C-alpha cells in the first residue's frame, strides 16, 4: 500500500455529513416522527408521517442544501424577538435608503 492510498482525501470539502444516504437534517426529519410513533404505539403511522415529512423537507430544501431552507424561513416566518438576527434587518423591510 502506497502513502497516497493510506489517507482518505474528500473530493469536495463542502459536502454535508451523511448517515448512509441521508444528511443529518434529513435523518432527524425522518427519525423524529418514527420514534414518536414507536413511543405512542403507532409504528406504521409514525413511519408514514416520517416519510411524508422527509419528502416535504426535501422539497423545501431543494438542491441547494440547508441554506436554501434557512433563507426561506427568514423570508416567510414571522419575526420573533428571541430568535431574530441582530445584524440583519427584518424581512418585511423591502427597501433600504442609505
Amino acid at each position: 500500500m502506497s502513502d497516497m492510498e493510506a489517507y482518505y482525501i474528500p473530493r469536495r470539502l463542502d459536502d454535508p455529513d451523511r448517515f448512509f444516504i441521508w444528511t443529518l437534517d434529513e435523518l432527524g426529519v425522518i427519525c423524529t416522527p418514527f420514534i414518536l410513533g414507536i413511543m405512542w404505539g403507532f409504528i406504521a403511522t409514525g413511519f408514514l408521517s416520517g416519510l411524508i415529512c422527509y419528502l416535504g423537507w426535501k422539497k423545501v430544501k431543494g438542491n441547494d442544501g440547508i441554506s436554501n431552507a434557512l433563507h426561506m424561513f427568514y423570508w416567510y416566518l414571522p419575526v420573533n424577538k428571541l430568535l431574530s438576527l441582530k445584524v440583519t434587518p427584518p424581512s418585511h423591510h423591502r427597501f433600504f435608503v442609505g
Side-chain angles (χ1 to χ4, degrees), residues 12-33:
R12 294 177 298 266
L13 295 176
D14 292 337
D15 283 349
D17 294 333
R18 293 192 172 268
F19 183 78
F20 292 116
I21 60 171
W22 302 294
T23 59
L24 296 179
D25 59 320
E26 293 169 352
L27 186 66
V29 168
I30 292 170
C31 288
T32 302

Side-chain angles (χ1 to χ4, degrees), residues 81-95:
K81 295 295 180 188
L82 182 63
L83 298 175
S84 66
L85 301 173
K86 292 178 178 54
V87 177
T88 57
S91 63
H92 64 276
H93 291 192
R94 301 292 183 193
F95 301 103

Side-chain angles (χ1 to χ4, degrees), residues 7 12 14-15 22 29-30 33 45 53 57-59 66 72 83 97:
Y7 301 103
R12 294 177 298 266
D14 292 337
D15 283 349
W22 302 294
V29 168
I30 292 170
T45 306
C53 288
W57 181 246
K58 284 292 285 185
K59 186 83 165 171
I66 191 91
M72 190 184 80
L83 298 175
V97 179

Side-chain angles (χ1 to χ4, degrees), residues 41-75:
F42 300 105
I43 297 173
T45 306
F47 176 74
L48 288 175
S49 62
L51 184 65
I52 290 169
C53 288
Y54 167 72
L55 294 175
W57 181 246
K58 284 292 285 185
K59 186 83 165 171
V60 166
K61 196 167 87 164
N63 292 333
D64 297 331
I66 191 91
S67 63
N68 190 22
L70 292 175
H71 294 192
M72 190 184 80
F73 292 152
Y74 169 74
W75 283 107

